[in-house]
């Protein structure tokens, strides 16, 4: 499928850079330094127009504070994570919640449900309440709709996501253990009916054993393209 001027670059794990056709940089779940799968040329990313955080786990917002401070880009997250990031010196937070939509020009970002947890690791070893885990539906200026599922199991309200937003591209975790494995992700694809699915959240740690090949096998004959991106290689 063609992205009509937009590009998607996987930065490893759940981190993505979506560049819109109007060259807006949307950075999703930035975990750059310390992410074993982040390409070295992106470890010091210093460009973002908006930063999205799906939930409070370190592997989804490990680089959020640094990237927000470098770029001044607004950070879109749930309300609780927004409050947490503010205590870390992030000035431009946009705390929201599920069902809400924020707009940046003609780009629309809607927070949707995810079936996962969201505690933030505290420096003293405890856990800070991080609200609920979510996902994002991003509709670009050219109408292309990208769903970043965050970390999640499959859930039947993915039907609602399809009916309301009809994502063209779904970024889905497949590694298992903390999220869906290919078995659940294949079911999610049948609910969401995207044109393209980009697997993520696999291979980073030994526990994340799901593979794009396994997902592809389970989707044999389904009208969907499984696009196994290499980190750093732009999909356009
Ligand atoms: Ni998580
Ligand atoms: Mn995760």
């Amino acid at each position: 499928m063609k992205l009509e001027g937009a590009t998607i670059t996987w930065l490893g794990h759940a981190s993505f850079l979506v560049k819109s056709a109007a060259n807006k940089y949307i950075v999703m779940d930035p975990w750059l330094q310390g992410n074993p799968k982040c390409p070295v040329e992106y470890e010091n990313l210093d460009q973002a127009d908006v930063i999205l955080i799906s939930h409070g786990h370190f592997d989804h917002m490990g680089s959020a504070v640094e990237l927000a401070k470098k770029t001044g880009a607004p950070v879109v997250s749930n309300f609780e994570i927004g409050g947490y990031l503010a205590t870390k010196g992030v000035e431009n937070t946009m705390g929201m919640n599920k069902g809400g939509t924020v707009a940046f020009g003609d780009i629309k970002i809607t927070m949707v449900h995810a079936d996962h947890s969201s505690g933030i690791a505290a420096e003293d070893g405890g856990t800070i309440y991080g609200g609920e885990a979510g996902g994002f539906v991003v509709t670009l200026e050219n109408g292309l709709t990208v769903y970043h599922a965050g970390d999640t199991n499959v859930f039947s309200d993915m039907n609602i996501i399809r009916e309301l937003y009809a994502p063209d591209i779904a970024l889905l975790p497949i590694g298992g253990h903390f999220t869906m494995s290919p078995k659940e992700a294949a079911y999610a694809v049948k609910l969401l009916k995207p044109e393209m699915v980009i697997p993520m959240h696999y291979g980073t740690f030994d526990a994340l054993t799901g593979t794009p090949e396994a997902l592809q096998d389970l989707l044999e004959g389904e009208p969907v393209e499984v696009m196994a991106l290499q980190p750093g290689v732009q999909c356009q």
Side-chain angles (χ1 to χ4, degrees):
M1 97 175 258
K2 290 269 175 278
L3 275 58
E4 291 166 22
T7 65
I8 298 177
T9 306
W10 188 32
L11 306 184
H13 202 59
S15 304
F16 284 87
L17 168 59
V18 175
K19 277 189 227 172
S20 78
N23 214 32
K24 294 290 181 207
Y25 280 51
I26 302 158
V27 181
M28 301 167 158
D29 281 0
W31 178 40
L32 308 174
Q33 295 198 6
N35 173 354
K37 297 287 181 183
C38 181
V40 89
E41 64 270 30
Y42 286 99
E43 280 184 356
N44 296 302
L45 182 69
D46 57 5
Q47 208 172 346
D49 292 295
V50 57
I51 300 166
L52 311 184
I53 307 293
S54 67
H55 66 291
H57 293 159
F58 76 94
D59 56 321
H60 297 260
M61 63 172 201
S63 300
V65 171
E66 187 183 342
L67 186 61
K69 286 183 180 174
K70 261 194 233 172
T71 61
V75 182
V76 178
S77 68
N78 72 27
F79 189 78
E80 290 79 8
I81 291 171
Y84 169 80
L85 292 173
T87 70
K88 298 293 171 190
V90 176
E91 289 179 1
N92 200 354
T93 61
M94 293 186 77
M96 63 183 300
N97 225 315
K98 298 172 191 178
T101 297
V102 291
F104 296 90
D106 291 327
I107 296 172
K108 292 202 274 302
I109 297 165
T110 301
M111 184 179 284
V112 297
H113 182 64
D115 186 3
H116 192 68
S117 59
S118 185
I120 302 164
E123 278 152 23
D124 67 3
T127 301
I128 298 166
Y129 180 65
E132 286 198 16
F136 291 101
V137 176
V138 177
T139 306
L140 300 178
E141 314 94 337
N142 63 1
L144 189 79
T145 302
V146 181
Y147 167 45
H148 187 299
D151 278 357
T152 190
N153 189 12
V154 65
F155 52 94
S156 56
D157 285 357
M158 286 178 174
N159 275 313
I160 298 178
I161 294 174
R162 180 193 71 240
E163 291 198 358
L164 287 180
Y165 314 112
D168 301 298
I169 300 173
L171 317 179
L172 299 183
I174 64 160
H177 194 84
F178 297 111
T179 70
M180 302 192 279
S181 74
K183 180 184 173 82
E184 294 78 18
Y187 196 94
V189 169
K190 290 172 191 174
L191 297 178
L192 292 162
K193 300 192 192 329
E195 267 187 62
M196 180 194 284
V197 56
I198 299 177
M200 64 165 171
H201 213 278
Y202 67 93
T204 326
F205 316 117
D206 289 346
L208 309 188
T209 56
T211 64
E213 294 74 25
L215 180 65
Q216 177 73 71
D217 286 349
L218 290 164
L219 291 171
E220 200 58 53
E222 295 288 329
V224 63
E225 181 180 2
V226 177
M227 177 63 75
L229 293 181
Q230 291 302 311
V233 178
Q234 197 167 273
C235 171
Q236 55 191 15

